[in-house]
Amino acid sequence: MEDLLDRLGTRLKAQRAAKSFSLEALAAASGVSRSMISEIERGTKMPTVIVLARLATALGTTVSRLMGEEQPDRVIRLRREDQPSITDATGWMRQILSPTLPGVEFEFIRTTIPGGVVVGEFAAHAAGSREYIAVETGSLKVTLDGIDHVLNPGDSLYYAGDCVHAFANAGAIECIYYTVMNVARSIHDSAA
Protein backbone atom coordinates (compact mmCIF):
# COMPACT_ATOMS: atom_id res chain seq x y z
CA MET A 1 0.00 0.00 0.00
CA GLU A 2 2.86 2.39 0.83
CA ASP A 3 4.36 1.84 -2.63
CA LEU A 4 1.02 2.69 -4.25
CA LEU A 5 0.70 5.82 -2.08
CA ASP A 6 4.22 6.94 -3.00
CA ARG A 7 3.68 6.37 -6.74
CA LEU A 8 0.30 8.12 -6.67
CA GLY A 9 1.78 11.08 -4.79
CA THR A 10 4.69 11.37 -7.22
CA ARG A 11 2.40 11.23 -10.25
CA LEU A 12 -0.05 13.76 -8.82
CA LYS A 13 2.78 16.18 -8.07
CA ALA A 14 4.25 15.69 -11.58
CA GLN A 15 0.86 16.31 -13.24
CA ARG A 16 0.32 19.40 -11.10
CA ALA A 17 3.78 20.72 -12.06
CA ALA A 18 3.21 19.92 -15.75
CA LYS A 19 0.04 22.05 -15.66
CA SER A 20 1.82 24.82 -13.68
CA PHE A 21 -0.73 24.53 -10.86
CA SER A 22 0.19 25.60 -7.34
CA LEU A 23 -1.36 23.62 -4.49
CA GLU A 24 -3.81 26.48 -4.03
CA ALA A 25 -4.77 26.57 -7.71
CA LEU A 26 -5.39 22.80 -7.81
CA ALA A 27 -7.41 23.02 -4.60
CA ALA A 28 -9.57 25.78 -6.08
CA ALA A 29 -10.04 23.95 -9.40
CA SER A 30 -10.84 20.57 -7.83
CA GLY A 31 -12.69 21.44 -4.63
CA VAL A 32 -10.17 19.28 -2.74
CA SER A 33 -8.43 20.97 0.18
CA ARG A 34 -4.82 22.09 -0.14
CA SER A 35 -3.87 20.00 2.91
CA MET A 36 -5.44 16.85 1.40
CA ILE A 37 -3.56 17.38 -1.88
CA SER A 38 -0.32 17.89 0.04
CA GLU A 39 -0.89 14.69 2.05
CA ILE A 40 -1.58 12.70 -1.14
CA GLU A 41 1.55 14.09 -2.80
CA ARG A 42 3.65 13.17 0.26
CA GLY A 43 2.22 9.63 0.18
CA THR A 44 0.67 9.87 3.63
CA LYS A 45 -3.02 9.77 2.63
CA MET A 46 -4.96 7.56 0.23
CA PRO A 47 -7.72 9.59 -1.43
CA THR A 48 -11.21 8.30 -2.03
CA VAL A 49 -12.15 7.48 -5.61
CA ILE A 50 -14.25 10.68 -5.80
CA VAL A 51 -11.34 12.84 -4.57
CA LEU A 52 -8.98 11.20 -7.07
CA ALA A 53 -11.50 11.78 -9.88
CA ARG A 54 -11.91 15.44 -8.89
CA LEU A 55 -8.14 15.94 -8.97
CA ALA A 56 -7.82 14.20 -12.35
CA THR A 57 -10.66 16.27 -13.82
CA ALA A 58 -9.16 19.53 -12.53
CA LEU A 59 -5.84 18.55 -14.14
CA GLY A 60 -7.55 17.63 -17.42
CA THR A 61 -6.39 14.04 -17.17
CA THR A 62 -7.65 10.60 -16.16
CA VAL A 63 -7.46 8.64 -12.93
CA SER A 64 -5.50 6.08 -14.99
CA ARG A 65 -2.71 8.59 -15.58
CA LEU A 66 -2.53 9.37 -11.86
CA MET A 67 -2.40 5.69 -10.92
CA GLY A 68 -0.28 4.13 -13.67
CA GLU A 69 2.89 4.71 -15.61
CA GLU A 70 2.81 5.50 -19.31
CA GLN A 71 3.34 2.49 -21.56
CA PRO A 72 4.43 3.35 -25.11
CA ASP A 73 4.41 -0.21 -26.48
CA ARG A 74 2.29 -1.05 -29.55
CA VAL A 75 0.75 -4.07 -27.81
CA ILE A 76 0.12 -4.03 -24.06
CA ARG A 77 -1.34 -6.90 -22.05
CA LEU A 78 -2.64 -6.05 -18.60
CA ARG A 79 -3.07 -9.11 -16.43
CA ARG A 80 -5.84 -8.80 -13.88
CA GLU A 81 -3.35 -8.46 -11.02
CA ASP A 82 -1.62 -5.59 -12.86
CA GLN A 83 -4.80 -3.56 -13.45
CA PRO A 84 -4.87 -0.62 -11.04
CA SER A 85 -7.94 -0.58 -8.83
CA ILE A 86 -9.22 1.44 -5.96
CA THR A 87 -12.01 0.51 -3.56
CA ASP A 88 -14.11 3.15 -1.82
CA ALA A 89 -15.02 2.85 1.86
CA THR A 90 -18.65 2.13 0.82
CA GLY A 91 -17.46 -0.99 -1.04
CA TRP A 92 -17.60 0.08 -4.68
CA MET A 93 -14.55 -0.68 -6.75
CA ARG A 94 -13.12 1.01 -9.82
CA GLN A 95 -10.76 -1.18 -11.85
CA ILE A 96 -8.80 0.38 -14.72
CA LEU A 97 -8.65 -1.98 -17.69
CA SER A 98 -6.73 0.26 -20.11
CA PRO A 99 -3.03 1.12 -20.11
CA THR A 100 -1.86 4.71 -19.77
CA LEU A 101 -0.62 5.78 -23.19
CA PRO A 102 1.56 8.82 -23.92
CA GLY A 103 -0.53 11.83 -24.92
CA VAL A 104 -3.85 9.93 -24.71
CA GLU A 105 -6.45 10.73 -22.05
CA PHE A 106 -8.55 7.58 -22.38
CA GLU A 107 -9.89 5.15 -19.78
CA PHE A 108 -11.63 1.79 -19.96
CA ILE A 109 -13.04 1.08 -16.50
CA ARG A 110 -14.92 -1.76 -14.78
CA THR A 111 -16.93 -0.63 -11.78
CA THR A 112 -18.61 -2.87 -9.21
CA ILE A 113 -21.19 -1.30 -6.87
CA PRO A 114 -22.86 -3.24 -4.04
CA GLY A 115 -26.64 -2.99 -3.76
CA GLY A 116 -27.97 0.27 -2.34
CA VAL A 117 -24.67 2.17 -2.67
CA VAL A 118 -24.50 5.72 -4.00
CA VAL A 119 -21.17 6.33 -5.74
CA GLY A 120 -21.56 10.09 -5.75
CA GLU A 121 -21.11 13.01 -8.07
CA PHE A 122 -18.27 13.61 -10.52
CA ALA A 123 -17.33 17.04 -11.86
CA ALA A 124 -17.75 17.90 -15.52
CA HIS A 125 -14.75 17.16 -17.74
CA ALA A 126 -13.43 19.55 -20.41
CA ALA A 127 -15.75 20.35 -23.32
CA GLY A 128 -15.48 17.66 -25.99
CA SER A 129 -15.01 14.81 -23.46
CA ARG A 130 -17.09 11.69 -24.09
CA GLU A 131 -18.26 8.82 -21.90
CA TYR A 132 -19.91 5.52 -22.80
CA ILE A 133 -21.45 3.14 -20.25
CA ALA A 134 -22.61 -0.47 -20.59
CA VAL A 135 -24.27 -2.38 -17.74
CA GLU A 136 -23.40 -6.05 -17.33
CA THR A 137 -25.38 -6.93 -14.17
CA GLY A 138 -27.73 -5.17 -11.80
CA SER A 139 -29.27 -1.75 -12.24
CA LEU A 140 -27.45 1.57 -12.52
CA LYS A 141 -28.91 5.03 -12.03
CA VAL A 142 -26.90 7.63 -13.95
CA THR A 143 -27.73 11.25 -13.18
CA LEU A 144 -26.63 13.77 -15.82
CA ASP A 145 -27.09 17.43 -14.93
CA GLY A 146 -29.92 16.44 -12.56
CA ILE A 147 -31.76 14.08 -14.94
CA ASP A 148 -31.90 10.38 -13.99
CA HIS A 149 -31.36 7.55 -16.49
CA VAL A 150 -31.87 3.98 -15.25
CA LEU A 151 -29.86 1.30 -17.04
CA ASN A 152 -30.47 -2.45 -16.73
CA PRO A 153 -28.36 -5.43 -17.88
CA GLY A 154 -27.42 -5.02 -21.53
CA ASP A 155 -28.33 -1.31 -21.63
CA SER A 156 -25.79 1.27 -22.72
CA LEU A 157 -25.60 5.05 -22.59
CA TYR A 158 -23.49 7.72 -24.25
CA TYR A 159 -23.17 11.26 -22.90
CA ALA A 160 -21.01 14.33 -23.35
CA GLY A 161 -18.61 14.23 -20.41
CA ASP A 162 -18.73 17.99 -19.88
CA CYS A 163 -21.69 17.68 -17.51
CA VAL A 164 -21.95 16.86 -13.82
CA HIS A 165 -22.57 13.11 -13.56
CA ALA A 166 -23.45 10.80 -10.68
CA PHE A 167 -23.92 7.06 -10.27
CA ALA A 168 -25.92 4.91 -7.84
CA ASN A 169 -27.08 1.33 -7.47
CA ALA A 170 -30.63 1.68 -6.18
CA GLY A 171 -31.19 -2.08 -6.50
CA ALA A 172 -30.49 -4.85 -4.02
CA ILE A 173 -28.02 -6.83 -6.15
CA GLU A 174 -24.49 -5.90 -7.15
CA CYS A 175 -24.17 -3.79 -10.29
CA ILE A 176 -21.23 -4.24 -12.65
CA TYR A 177 -20.78 -1.75 -15.45
CA TYR A 178 -18.11 -0.63 -17.89
CA THR A 179 -17.16 2.92 -18.78
CA VAL A 180 -15.12 4.08 -21.74
CA MET A 181 -14.01 7.67 -21.32
CA ASN A 182 -12.11 10.04 -23.57
CA VAL A 183 -11.13 13.26 -21.81
CA ALA A 184 -10.65 16.18 -24.20
CA ARG A 185 -7.76 18.55 -23.76
CA SER A 186 -8.77 21.81 -22.12
CA ILE A 187 -8.11 25.17 -23.76
CA HIS A 188 -5.31 25.67 -21.20
CA ASP A 189 -3.62 22.44 -22.37
CA SER A 190 -3.91 23.18 -26.09
CA ALA A 191 -2.30 26.59 -25.63
CA ALA A 192 0.76 25.03 -23.98
Side-chain angles (χ1 to χ4, degrees):
M1 181 68 129
E2 285 181 37
D3 192 35
L4 172 64
L5 285 175
D6 289 339
R7 287 191 320 265
L8 177 60
T10 299
R11 289 186 187 109
L12 176 59
K13 190 172 188 174
Q15 284 293 310
R16 183 172 62 80
K19 305 287 182 184
S20 301
F21 274 35
S22 64
L23 283 171
E24 293 78 14
L26 181 55
S30 66
V32 176
S33 73
R34 180 191 185 284
S35 61
M36 171 64 93
I37 296 167
S38 179
E39 287 183 85
I40 296 167
E41 287 186 355
R42 289 193 319 267
T44 60
K45 183 97 174 189
M46 177 56 106
T48 64
V49 180
I50 295 289
V51 166
L52 197 54
R54 286 181 181 158
L55 292 169
T57 297
L59 290 166
T61 191
T62 60
V63 171
S64 298
R65 186 161 307 283
L66 294 179
M67 292 185 68
E69 294 180 33
E70 284 189 358
Q71 299 181 29
D73 301 330
R74 288 177 49 87
V75 176
I76 301 166
R77 178 180 179 176
L78 288 178
R79 296 186 186 283
R80 183 178 182 92
E81 61 270 12
D82 296 329
Q83 296 166 356
S85 67
I86 186 167
T87 303
D88 192 79
T90 59
W92 66 276
M93 183 183 80
R94 181 179 187 156
Q95 181 180 7
I96 301 169
L97 306 175
S98 54
T100 304
L101 303 171
V104 177
E105 297 303 336
F106 172 89
E107 280 185 317
F108 179 29
I109 305 161
R110 179 181 192 263
T111 303
T112 305
I113 309 174
V117 171
V118 174
V119 170
E121 192 172 88
F122 291 81
H125 301 292
S129 297
R130 296 178 292 278
E131 294 198 31
Y132 305 83
I133 296 175
V135 175
E136 182 178 318
T137 63
S139 180
L140 179 67
K141 180 172 79 171
V142 181
T143 306
L144 305 171
D145 282 338
I147 299 171
D148 292 342
H149 305 269
V150 177
L151 305 175
N152 294 304
D155 290 348
S156 61
L157 178 73
Y158 159 80
Y159 60 93
D162 59 352
C163 66
V164 174
H165 42 288
F167 306 95
N169 179 355
I173 64 167
E174 177 179 82
C175 175
I176 297 173
Y177 69 96
Y178 295 87
T179 305
V180 174
M181 180 173 55
N182 181 42
V183 176
R185 292 185 178 269
S186 69
I187 295 169
H188 175 73
D189 290 341
S190 11

